[in-house]
């Protein structure tokens, strides 16, 4: 995800968000990204779909179908775009919906693509309508139409593009227009990762970063990472710092618990923003139902941040329900908050 989208005013440590922090751009973090499908952990159905699509396209000597990935931030959408480029031996160009302000921005990128290249448009739901219209012929016919002059002198010229594959990534598939959605051949939803998958991811990252971690430490990190690989990698770095300075260097269950409690990440992986969100519904709105705009106003947070980043995981673990009349907290949210005496929201 790009930084301009999700703003987290109260999530100071930024541990919760799936978005990239500048630290994620460091070579160290980049090297944690699996480069091949065989190294990609979890999401078995998505991996199988891509394996088949890539192999079939390579046999035919064609680019793969356009792919749309949908799911909360940090689950591996960008990583999959890198992998598709690696597996097909092509280049990846990355842009995002909000960065494409004018048709010319998109045309500039499209005309520079070589045969078979991959174009990733992150947050594709935020692409302006005028730019989106240039995407239709590009996706369907590998062409862009230029208009010259206006009125009765208007002429159009069709410019052929090299055949490419578009990878769209979005946290809000519902905001995509139907014509755009329909032009993707492959449409896959990424789910939160299981504890077992996150354990494998964190052990792999620890190996690459040369950090010692014991199995209980890996499980504890996995349990506090909101089902999200980007978060497990980020928390691993926080616990590494703590273990280095305050413990014997080895990451154990105990060092993980102490280090993450200090960061405000509780035993279920919830951060202060999650807890404030739940408490707002419980304390101000008697457990709901309450509309998202009212919650956002009370919390003084962007409603987009709540919808994209906070709610998906709380829904997944059953702490909130989304009904037609608004959001409600569940019994398990109340029990969880009550069990957290040392934490202040
Ligand atoms: P998204 O584009 O969905 O926001 P990314 O693809 O940028 O997420 O993934 C965030 C980070 O999580 C990556 O840098 C990578 O290190 C890690 N990651 C994501 N998916 C996996 C996976 N399946 N296996 C191992 N690491 C992963």
């Amino acid at each position: 995800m790009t930084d301009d989208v999700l703003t987290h005013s109260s999530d100071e440590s930024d541990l919760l968000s799936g978005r990239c922090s500048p630290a994620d751009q460091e070579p160290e973090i980049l090297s944690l990204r699996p480069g091949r499908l065989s190294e990609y952990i979890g999401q078995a159905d998505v991996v199988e779909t891509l394996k088949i699509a890539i192999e079939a396209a390579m046999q035919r000597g064609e680019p793969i179908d356009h792919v749309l990935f949908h799911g909360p931030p940090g689950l591996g959408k960008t990583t999959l775009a890198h992998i598709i480029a690696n597996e097909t031996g092509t280049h990846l160009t990355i842009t995002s919906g909000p960065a494409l302000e004018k048709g010319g921005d998109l045309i500039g990128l499209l005309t520079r693509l070589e045969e078979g290249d991959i174009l990733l448009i992150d947050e594709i739901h935020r692409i302006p309508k005028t730019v989106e219209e240039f995407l239709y012929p590009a996706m369907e016919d590998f062409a862009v139409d230029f208009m010259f002059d206006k009125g009765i002198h208007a002429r159009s010229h069709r410019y052929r593009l090299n055949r490419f594959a578009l990878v769209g990534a979005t946290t809000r598939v519902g905001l995509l227009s139907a014509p755009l959605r329909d032009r993707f051949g492959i449409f896959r939803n990424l789910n939160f990762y299981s504890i077992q998958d996150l354990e494998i991811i964190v052990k792999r990252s620890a190996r690459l970063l040369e950090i010692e971690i014991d199995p209980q430490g890996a499980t504890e990190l996995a349990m506090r990472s909101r089902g999200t690989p980007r978060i497990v990698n980020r928390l691993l770095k926080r616990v590494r710092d703590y273990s280095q300075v305050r413990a014997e260097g080895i990451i154990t269950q105990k060092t993980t618990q102490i280090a993450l409690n200090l960061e405000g990440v509780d035993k279920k992986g919830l951060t202060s923003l999650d807890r404030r969100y739940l408490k707002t519904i419980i304390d101000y709105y008697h457990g709901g139902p309450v509309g998202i705009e009212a919650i956002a106003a009370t919390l003084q947070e962007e409603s987009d941040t709540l919808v994209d980043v906070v709610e998906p995981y709380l829904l997944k673990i059953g702490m909130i329900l989304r009904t037609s009349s608004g959001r409600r907290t569940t019994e398990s949210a109340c029990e969880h908050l009550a069990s957290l005496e040392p934490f202040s929201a």
Side-chain angles (χ1 to χ4, degrees):
M1 300 291 297
T2 43
D3 275 359
D4 52 344
V5 205
L6 302 170
T7 40
H8 271 259
S9 48
S10 68
D11 188 26
E12 294 95 355
S13 60
D14 208 17
L15 288 167
L16 160 73
S17 79
R19 69 174 168 158
C20 280
S21 67
D24 290 345
Q25 309 299 334
E26 290 167 16
E28 181 177 80
I29 286 291
L30 283 181
S31 70
L32 297 181
R33 227 186 248 295
R36 292 280 169 186
L37 272 181
S38 57
E39 297 168 27
Y40 193 88
I41 294 146
Q43 314 285 351
D45 295 354
V46 179
V47 169
E48 185 62 10
T49 303
L50 289 178
K51 262 191 198 151
I52 294 169
I54 290 171
E55 202 176 321
M58 302 268 280
Q59 281 172 7
R60 293 195 300 266
E62 290 174 1
I64 73 159
D65 257 346
H66 304 302
V67 192
L68 182 63
F69 293 124
H70 160 228
L75 294 192
K77 301 182 288 298
T78 308
T79 303
L80 285 172
H82 279 277
I83 290 178
I84 295 171
N86 287 345
E87 297 281 354
T88 53
T90 56
H91 302 112
L92 171 68
T93 301
I94 302 181
T95 186
S96 73
L100 298 170
E101 287 175 7
K102 299 187 297 294
D105 299 331
L106 177 66
I107 292 171
L109 289 177
L110 290 171
T111 51
R112 280 198 293 274
L113 295 177
E114 290 172 22
E115 182 71 15
D117 275 1
I118 311 294
L119 174 65
L120 167 65
I121 306 185
D122 197 6
E123 294 178 76
I124 194 163
H125 61 276
R126 296 186 65 195
I127 201 166
K129 195 79 209 140
T130 47
V131 179
E132 185 176 317
E133 274 160 19
F134 284 99
L135 260 186
Y136 301 158
M139 291 173 79
E140 229 160 50
D141 306 323
F142 302 112
V144 277
D145 296 315
F146 292 98
M147 290 298 288
F148 298 98
D149 295 337
K150 285 194 177 136
I152 55 164
H153 300 295
R155 290 168 291 136
S156 92
H157 175 71
R158 181 155 263 223
Y159 180 90
R160 289 250 148 244
L161 300 167
N162 285 318
R163 292 179 307 169
F164 69 100
L166 177 67
V167 176
T170 180
T171 48
R172 296 272 198 101
V173 79
L175 297 186
L176 242 64
S177 71
L180 180 57
R181 217 171 39 223
D182 293 346
R183 282 172 170 81
F184 285 96
I186 302 170
F187 184 128
R188 297 311 305 238
N189 182 38
L190 297 194
N191 296 314
F192 286 111
Y193 288 66
S194 66
I195 303 287
Q196 289 81 351
D197 286 341
L198 289 169
E199 282 171 358
I200 300 172
I201 292 173
V202 79
K203 284 180 189 163
R204 173 181 175 274
S205 301
R207 208 168 44 245
L208 293 172
L209 296 173
E210 298 179 0
I211 301 171
E212 260 194 275
I213 183 166
D214 74 12
Q216 294 76 20
T219 307
E220 190 67 28
L221 267 165
M223 284 182 352
R224 293 186 182 223
S225 296
R226 311 175 103 255
T228 308
R230 183 180 292 144
I231 297 180
V232 89
N233 285 340
R234 202 174 280 174
L235 295 184
L236 173 67
K237 294 183 79 192
R238 296 282 62 76
V239 181
R240 168 181 67 177
D241 289 353
Y242 179 86
S243 307
Q244 190 182 317
V245 177
R246 293 269 189 274
E248 266 117 59
I250 302 169
I251 296 181
T252 60
Q253 182 178 31
K254 186 130 184 71
T255 51
T256 305
Q257 284 169 347
I258 301 172
L260 295 186
N261 286 351
L262 273 175
E263 294 285 341
V265 174
D266 68 32
K267 58 191 175 192
K268 290 224 187 268
L270 306 194
T271 66
S272 71
L273 182 56
D274 293 309
R275 290 188 294 273
R276 290 200 308 119
Y277 171 96
L278 293 173
K279 280 191 172 175
T280 299
I281 302 181
I282 295 168
D283 295 347
Y284 287 81
Y285 300 102
H286 311 292
V290 52
I292 187 66
E293 293 304 333
I295 304 172
T298 314
L299 276 173
Q300 298 188 2
E301 282 290 340
E302 294 279 333
S303 58
D304 277 358
T305 303
L306 301 179
V307 173
D308 286 344
V309 183
V310 174
E311 291 187 336
Y313 190 66
L314 295 178
L315 281 164
K316 149 98 181 135
I317 60 172
M319 290 212 179
I320 54 166
L321 298 172
R322 231 154 61 182
T323 66
S324 55
S325 45
R327 276 74 172 161
R328 297 173 59 165
T329 47
T330 63
E331 194 68 17
S332 89
C334 300
E335 282 166 12
H336 177 64
L337 291 179
S339 74
L340 294 177
E341 283 316 318
F343 284 102
S344 55

